[in-house]
Amino acid sequence: MSYAVDLRAAPFNLDDAGVAWVESTIGSMTLEEKIGQLFINHNNSYAPEYLDEVLEKFHVGGMRYRPGPSGAVQEHIRHAQATTKIPLLIASNPEMGGAGSCDDGTFVSTHLQAGSHPDKSIARQMGQVAGVETAALGCNWAFAPIVDIHYNWRNTVISTRSFGNTPEVVVERAKEYFDGISESPTACAMKHFPGDGIDERDQHVVTSYNTLGYEEWNKTYGHVYREMIGHGVQSIMIGHIGAPELSRRFRPGLSDAEVLPATLAPELLGELLRGELGFNGLILTDASQMIGMTQAMKRRDLVPAAIAAGCDMFLFFRNPEEDFGYMLDGYRNGVITEERLQDALRRILALKASLGLHIKARESLVPPADQLAVIGSAEHRAIAAEIADKTVTLVKDTQGNLPLTPATHKKIRLYGISGGSDFTMADPLGYLDTVADELERVGFEVHIFKTAAQRKAAGEEGVNFMSVISEEATDDYSEKYDAALVFANVKGFAQEAAIRVKWSTPMAAEIPWYVTEVPTVFVSLNQPNHLIDVPMVKTAIHTHADSREAIRATVEKIQGLSEFQGTFNENVFCNSFDTRL
């Protein structure tokens, strides 16, 4: 069945001139240029000669760059747009505001944070800042909002990247985000169809599955996608997520071995997304290096198979020469039909035309350098601080440990927990310095716990985990410290199927054994599911972020100087009775 694009209908809404540009541009392209339009490159270098080669050899239709300082990012994009024959879609990942799109962008909030307060305008503010800051860089395509539903508390790839655990909150906040970012010249790619949050695993390292039946999926994820398509979202990123019951709805008798991730499943992209949901916009794959896709079939087969199945753009080369060749071969041998190639090209160029890229002077595709002043501006940081104050959440205080003040609990033992160094390459415990600064600023006396590894690295001899335990856990603990604060900043995904607390050593001295000795407060700066690993703590706070604004707001609330306003859903208790005690 054909699901040909209507260029004049939503979400493109092109006029006659726009349609004419799309058709004439396709008519002027060589076969190699047409194949190149299907690819979104991941720019691994800022060198102009690198960009020149990518554009000259592979004719890509879009790019996403490696974040760096805003000035360098903008110049990189400026060179790309000045060099390319056809204007480029320049993507960023503004899931948290401007942060992540450049090193100096503003962290506004996570998706979960924006869903953790009755004020839905938090999501709009996140979108507004994201749009302003990424547009200043020269970006025109946002790989956001995330419209997954966090049903499974064990799922940690979207635990902070989903607005919540109900379709209602996801729809409400995703629309707000979309409206906010749409105030800037930006198209959105919502993700990750057919929906993450049922399985606990991460598609970066394994294919995961949405196992809902057709009727239940329609009431939940299907409802979200229908609402957002009706709201005008221009593109949809497809997850490497299989949906066995959905696939069998359209392919009765499909065996388990034949269930493919949605990126390679024509029944999910065609009959379901194009047909039943009526999506007329652009479809792109999630990153093609993810094992959720690569475990499905050989690379030479999956590259053209994704386009043949109904994806219009292919996210990232693994090896540019090879992948370009595989796509070209797929067209030449009929895996990608002429009709499918033409339809994909029309959607790609229509998205560009809907953004006005075809009528802008080449030099105006990227703003002047002085526009970078909005990035990380005082105004945007003030928005972040206001949101942090609203969303810091008291999950429980069953022992009545709060408030803690310098007058009542002067001496603080401070523990830090991290997930270890990950692909961000940031110091995993660097946030503790900010925590200590904020505590000392208001008059606490802070004593930071050092792990055995940290002490060895500092030159101490004769240190091992047993010696640290025996030194830390002494009878005079409550004389040395008035209270214990544990700040967890467990981040990272794409390296393991799920993320849990990993202590520094066996029976580590930082595990909250001390809850029986002094008032203990556990603060999560990221993951919402830590109570499963620290059920013994009686006071738990979810701060959502490791920004100074969020940490400052938390310290104020610990002292009782301002009210906790954030809310939480049942995922925080991880389906275990002891986490509630």
Side-chain angles (χ1 to χ4, degrees), residues 466-479:
M466 289 295 285
S467 70
V468 173
I469 291 170
S470 62
E471 185 180 313
E472 182 75 3
T474 56
D475 189 54
D476 62 348
Y477 187 93
S478 61
E479 296 170 21

Side-chain angles (χ1 to χ4, degrees), residues 310 325 334 371 398 429 514 560:
Q371 295 296 301
T398 57
L429 286 171
Y514 37 84

Side-chain angles (χ1 to χ4, degrees), residues 338-415:
E338 178 65 24
E339 180 185 30
R340 178 77 274 273
L341 176 61
Q342 291 295 321
D343 186 64
L345 291 171
R346 286 189 177 103
R347 294 181 197 274
I348 295 163
L349 294 172
L351 184 58
K352 296 180 180 187
S354 73
L355 289 164
L357 304 186
H358 65 309
I359 57 174
K360 288 184 177 179
R362 194 55 62 94
E363 60 272 16
S364 68
L365 289 171
V366 180
D370 61 8
Q371 295 296 301
L372 296 176
V374 300
I375 294 175
S377 65
E379 178 187 357
H380 289 175
R381 296 298 292 262
I383 291 170
E386 180 186 357
I387 291 172
D389 183 61
K390 286 180 177 178
T391 53
V392 174
T393 302
L394 181 62
V395 175
K396 70 174 184 179
D397 185 25
T398 57
Q399 209 170 52
N401 287 323
L402 298 180
L404 301 177
T405 72
T408 59
H409 299 81
K410 178 79 169 177
K411 296 175 291 184
I412 300 294
R413 187 57 157 168
L414 177 61
Y415 299 91

Side-chain angles (χ1 to χ4, degrees), residues 19 44 83 106 120 132 194 205 229 242 250 284 308 316 339 402 438 466 502 532 539 546 571 578:
V19 173
N44 292 318
T83 305
T106 306
K120 67 180 183 179
V132 168
V205 297
I229 289 168
F250 304 100
L284 67 151
F316 305 152
E339 180 185 30
L402 298 180
E438 291 299 318
M466 289 295 285
K502 183 177 182 180
I532 196 68
T539 306
D546 61 358
N571 285 333
D578 60 335

Side-chain angles (χ1 to χ4, degrees), residues 31 41 81 89 134-135 153 228-229 245 334 437 460 514 527:
L31 175 59
N41 189 60
Q81 291 288 33
L89 293 168
T134 55
W153 70 264
M228 294 306 294
I229 289 168
E245 297 309 308
D437 284 348
E460 281 192 50
Y514 37 84
Q527 293 289 351

Side-chain angles (χ1 to χ4, degrees), residues 73-150:
V73 169
Q74 192 195 60
E75 275 309 303
H76 181 65
I77 296 171
R78 193 186 314 283
H79 183 85
Q81 291 288 33
T83 305
T84 184
K85 177 179 175 182
I86 298 168
L88 291 159
L89 293 168
I90 304 289
S92 64
N93 247 14
E95 299 174 7
M96 300 168 289
S101 297
C102 59
D103 293 349
D104 39 338
T106 306
F107 177 100
V108 180
S109 78
T110 66
H111 274 50
L112 178 62
Q113 190 175 357
S116 297
H117 188 279
D119 182 4
K120 67 180 183 179
S121 72
I122 292 170
R124 182 180 291 254
Q125 289 177 300
M126 179 169 66
Q128 286 169 329
V129 173
V132 168
E133 295 198 359
T134 55
L137 293 168
C139 301
N140 50 40
W141 200 13
F143 288 171
I146 302 167
V147 295
D148 297 318
I149 310 171
H150 190 217

Side-chain angles (χ1 to χ4, degrees), residues 300-565:
R300 69 172 58 251
D301 297 326
L302 74 81
V303 172
I307 303 300
C311 294
D312 302 306
M313 295 192 83
F314 191 87
L315 188 59
F316 305 152
F317 295 110
R318 185 174 72 181
N319 176 292
E321 297 272 3
E322 290 179 352
D323 285 353
F324 190 88
Y326 296 153
M327 195 73 82
L328 194 56
D329 289 345
Y331 170 76
R332 285 173 170 157
N333 65 27
V335 171
I336 302 171
T337 65
E338 178 65 24
E339 180 185 30
R340 178 77 274 273
L341 176 61
Q342 291 295 321
D343 186 64
L345 291 171
R346 286 189 177 103
R347 294 181 197 274
I348 295 163
L349 294 172
L351 184 58
K352 296 180 180 187
S354 73
L355 289 164
L357 304 186
H358 65 309
I359 57 174
K360 288 184 177 179
R362 194 55 62 94
E363 60 272 16
S364 68
L365 289 171
V366 180
D370 61 8
Q371 295 296 301
L372 296 176
V374 300
I375 294 175
S377 65
E379 178 187 357
H380 289 175
R381 296 298 292 262
I383 291 170
E386 180 186 357
I387 291 172
D389 183 61
K390 286 180 177 178
T391 53
V392 174
T393 302
L394 181 62
V395 175
K396 70 174 184 179
D397 185 25
T398 57
Q399 209 170 52
N401 287 323
L402 298 180
L404 301 177
T405 72
T408 59
H409 299 81
K410 178 79 169 177
K411 296 175 291 184
I412 300 294
R413 187 57 157 168
L414 177 61
Y415 299 91
I417 304 166
S418 84
S421 184
D422 63 15
F423 65 90
T424 65
M425 306 305 288
D427 178 357
L429 286 171
Y431 69 94
L432 266 191
D433 292 337
T434 304
V435 175
D437 284 348
E438 291 299 318
L439 289 168
E440 289 169 348
R441 187 179 67 85
V442 299
F444 287 107
E445 179 185 298
V446 180
H447 304 265
I448 299 178
F449 170 79
K450 301 289 187 185
T451 67
Q454 287 174 311
R455 290 166 63 167
K456 285 179 183 175
E460 281 192 50
E461 296 182 359
V463 178
N464 58 57
F465 78 91
M466 289 295 285
S467 70
V468 173
I469 291 170
S470 62
E471 185 180 313
E472 182 75 3
T474 56
D475 189 54
D476 62 348
Y477 187 93
S478 61
E479 296 170 21
K480 291 190 289 187
Y481 313 117
D482 300 317
L485 297 182
V486 190
F487 277 72
N489 195 30
V490 181
K491 289 187 175 180
F493 52 87
Q495 291 175 261
E496 50 198 321
I499 304 160
R500 293 278 290 274
V501 169
K502 183 177 182 180
W503 306 104
S504 65
T505 69
M507 301 164 290
E510 72 269 19
I511 303 173
W513 61 270
Y514 37 84
V515 294
T516 57
E517 300 290 330
V518 298
T520 299
V521 177
F522 184 93
V523 181
S524 174
L525 301 178
N526 193 49
Q527 293 289 351
N529 65 336
H530 286 319
L531 279 177
I532 196 68
D533 291 321
V534 289
M536 72 289 284
V537 298
K538 307 304 180 188
T539 306
I541 295 169
H542 192 198
T543 296
H544 293 284
D546 61 358
S547 65
R548 186 172 291 274
E549 291 88 351
I551 291 168
R552 179 166 294 181
T554 301
V555 170
E556 284 186 0
K557 293 177 194 303
I558 285 172
Q559 297 174 83
L561 299 178
S562 67
E563 295 294 320
F564 288 97
Q565 299 180 51

